[in-house]
Amino acid sequence: RLLLALLLLAPALPAPHERGLIFNLDTGELCLQSAQCKSGCCHRHSGLSLARCAPKADEFQKCSPKSIYGVYYECPCESGLSCEVDRTIVGSITNSDFGTCKDPR
C-alpha cells in the first residue's frame, strides 16, 4: 500500500529547482560548510552563533584566507582578489588570521 501511495503521489510533487536543501544555498541561509553556499562562504559572527551563507569579501574589506574548516569569521575574497594576511600557525588553528582583500595587480 505504501508503495502504491508513493507512486500515486510522485506526479504531484513539485519539480526540483536550482536551489537545494543542502547545497546551492542562497545568502542568509543556514550552513555547515562553505561548499553548501552559492557564494562559497559559510560565515559566523562568533563561536556561539549559527553560520549562514554570506557574500565573499570585496576589495579593501576584511577577509580570511581559505581554510580547511569551511566556516569563516570573515569571508574569503571575491575571485581575482587576494587576502593579504600575515599567516601564523596559531591564527590558522584558531581561524583568526584576518587580512584585507587587495587586487594583486
Side-chain angles (χ1 to χ4, degrees), residues 4 6-9 12 19 23 27 36 39 41 46 52 56 62 75-76 83 87 89 92 94 96 101 105:
L4 181 60
L6 288 174
L7 288 173
L8 292 172
L9 288 175
R19 189 180 75 75
F23 290 101
T27 298
Q36 294 178 279
S39 67
C41 179
S46 70
R52 294 182 178 274
K56 287 193 173 180
K62 228 175 167 181
C75 286
C83 189
R87 282 206 145 178
I89 291 177
S92 295
T94 61
S96 64
C101 290
R105 293 171 269 158

Side-chain angles (χ1 to χ4, degrees), residues 17-67:
H17 6 293
E18 252 182 57
R19 189 180 75 75
L21 293 174
I22 297 173
F23 290 101
N24 214 16
L25 301 175
D26 290 321
T27 298
E29 294 188 280
L30 294 174
C31 55
L32 296 173
Q33 288 286 322
S34 289
Q36 294 178 279
C37 304
K38 284 181 184 177
S39 67
C41 179
C42 186
H43 174 266
R44 71 171 5 131
H45 293 284
S46 70
L48 299 176
S49 66
L50 295 173
R52 294 182 178 274
C53 294
K56 287 193 173 180
D58 288 328
E59 192 171 10
F60 307 117
Q61 285 187 327
K62 228 175 167 181
C63 61
S64 289
K66 293 279 185 187
S67 163

